[in-house]
Amino acid sequence: MKKLYGVTTAMVTPFDERGCVKLDVMREMVEFLIARGVHCLYPCGTTGEMFLMPEEQRMRAAEAVIQQAAGRVTVYVHVGAMDPEETVRLACHACDAGADSIGVVTPVFFGTNPEAMVRYYLRVFRAIPRDFPAYLYNIPQCAANDLTCGAVRRILDACPNVVGIKYSLPDMVRTYEYLGIGDGFEVVQGTDRLFLPALAMGCAGTVSGVSAVYPEPFVRVYEAWQTGDIDAARHWQCVANRFVEALGAGTNMAMFKCGLAHRGIDAGHMHAPQIDLSEAEAAALTDGLERLESTCPEGLLVSGAPEGSPC
């Protein structure tokens, strides 16, 4: 079973003016990210505006990423949906399409007790092969539901293919509790600014939205950590944090798309009812990113898709 580790990039979804996915740009983003050293790709999640996408579009976007990656990095497709049966269909599709893993967010908006939470996950994970790895995804600040350690243990007891959890609340106590659930159960933190602290606690890595635009400092954090160079890891986490702050820490994905445009990738538009940045907002963000880039070591940042890209 392939698991998540290092820098997993939560990909944005590029839409045209009609709200259709620009699949050619999805493929270009895959090349952009692989060339800069990310370890795993995560399309169709929160950063990818998943709940605004029709089921068919989510399937086509996942296929584009899987096919373009072609086994070079792990591809972990988020399949959670408002309708549990849609979640099941998306999970089965990701498996059939060649994804390495799936992630499933908790039920959202409507309050869910632990028993309902467990039943939901069992329905999804029993629909896919028992040897196909799956990750839980807990983002209570958005979903309005929390996945307790007790519920996680019940799910693990019934579903051996559940290998980890993506946790996107900056709560280090709960992160520690998840890490103690069992041998081989992996935790990846979804808070960009906590990448290095999470590694120090024993997490396998991060699922980072800001790395969709600036993967380089995050990759440097992990490389330094792997070699035991803690001072370098701290330095690169500070660099990453400055980009996190400049891009609003994931509070507005339009900032990510503007940032990608600045780096040479036309990431398209936001999906209604969300809106793009105004011209003034885009200009101010681009100016701020240029100033921040000027403080980075020469050669760290290279814009656009790599030469020779099949896109």
Side-chain angles (χ1 to χ4, degrees), residues 66-78:
I66 294 165
Q67 292 166 7
Q68 191 67 36
R72 290 175 290 167
V73 294
T74 297
V75 176
Y76 151 55
V77 177
H78 176 258

Side-chain angles (χ1 to χ4, degrees), residues 12-77:
V12 304
T13 305
F15 298 105
D16 65 18
E17 296 87 348
R18 299 172 299 159
C20 296
V21 181
K22 299 168 68 173
L23 296 176
D24 57 334
V25 180
M26 291 288 303
R27 298 186 181 96
E28 184 179 359
M29 287 192 294
V30 170
E31 295 300 323
F32 174 87
L33 294 166
I34 290 177
R36 285 154 182 80
V38 305
H39 308 98
C40 312
L41 300 175
Y42 173 38
C44 302
T46 305
T47 302
E49 305 171 72
M50 75 282 199
F51 285 146
L52 300 177
M53 299 170 65
E55 181 177 343
E56 179 69 18
Q57 285 197 21
R58 291 181 67 171
M59 290 180 176
R60 300 293 82 78
E63 290 169 1
V65 174
I66 294 165
Q67 292 166 7
Q68 191 67 36
R72 290 175 290 167
V73 294
T74 297
V75 176
Y76 151 55
V77 177

Side-chain angles (χ1 to χ4, degrees), residues 60-293:
R60 300 293 82 78
E63 290 169 1
V65 174
I66 294 165
Q67 292 166 7
Q68 191 67 36
R72 290 175 290 167
V73 294
T74 297
V75 176
Y76 151 55
V77 177
H78 176 258
V79 300
M82 291 292 292
D83 176 8
E85 294 309 308
E86 181 178 343
T87 301
V88 169
R89 291 191 298 270
L90 288 168
C92 293
H93 171 266
C95 181
D96 293 341
D100 295 303
S101 173
I102 58 169
V104 185
V105 74
T106 61
V108 302
F109 189 81
F110 298 103
T112 304
N113 63 35
E115 181 61 31
M117 187 81 75
V118 171
R119 291 188 186 188
Y120 170 74
Y121 277 113
L122 297 191
R123 170 71 184 95
V124 176
F125 294 145
R126 286 173 173 169
I128 58 177
R130 291 174 64 85
D131 61 350
F132 186 68
Y135 280 75
L136 305 166
Y137 175 17
N138 191 20
I139 184 169
Q141 68 270 37
C142 293
N145 286 300
D146 186 26
L147 188 53
T148 66
C149 290
V152 170
R153 289 189 177 95
R154 288 183 59 190
I155 295 165
L156 289 177
D157 287 343
C159 301
N161 56 333
V162 176
V163 297
I165 187 167
K166 175 195 173 187
Y167 184 46
S168 290
L169 189 69
D171 180 346
M172 300 305 276
V173 173
R174 173 62 70 79
T175 301
Y176 177 78
E177 291 171 347
Y178 281 146
L179 285 164
I181 282 178
D183 291 341
F185 183 73
E186 292 198 341
V187 181
V188 287
Q189 245 292 345
T191 306
D192 301 71
R193 283 177 281 207
L194 295 181
F195 184 19
L196 180 56
L199 289 173
M201 292 180 69
C203 291
T206 184
V207 180
S208 163
V210 174
S211 71
V213 187
Y214 288 99
E216 295 93 340
F218 293 92
V219 172
R220 293 290 184 95
V221 170
Y222 191 68
E223 290 174 345
W225 172 258
Q226 288 293 93
T227 62
D229 191 342
I230 303 304
D231 287 341
R234 287 173 179 159
H235 167 75
W236 290 114
Q237 182 69 69
C238 289
V239 173
N241 288 351
R242 289 196 287 271
F243 283 106
V244 172
E245 291 159 9
L247 288 168
T251 56
N252 183 355
M253 305 313 170
M255 298 178 78
F256 289 2
K257 293 186 178 183
C258 178
L260 279 167
H262 168 62
R263 299 208 67 189
I265 295 180
D266 180 7
H269 300 275
M270 297 296 289
H271 195 295
Q274 299 185 103
I275 60 174
D276 300 333
L277 298 184
S278 68
E279 288 188 11
E281 289 169 334
L285 176 59
T286 299
D287 183 61
L289 293 176
E290 288 176 347
R291 290 198 305 271
L292 187 52
E293 289 172 355

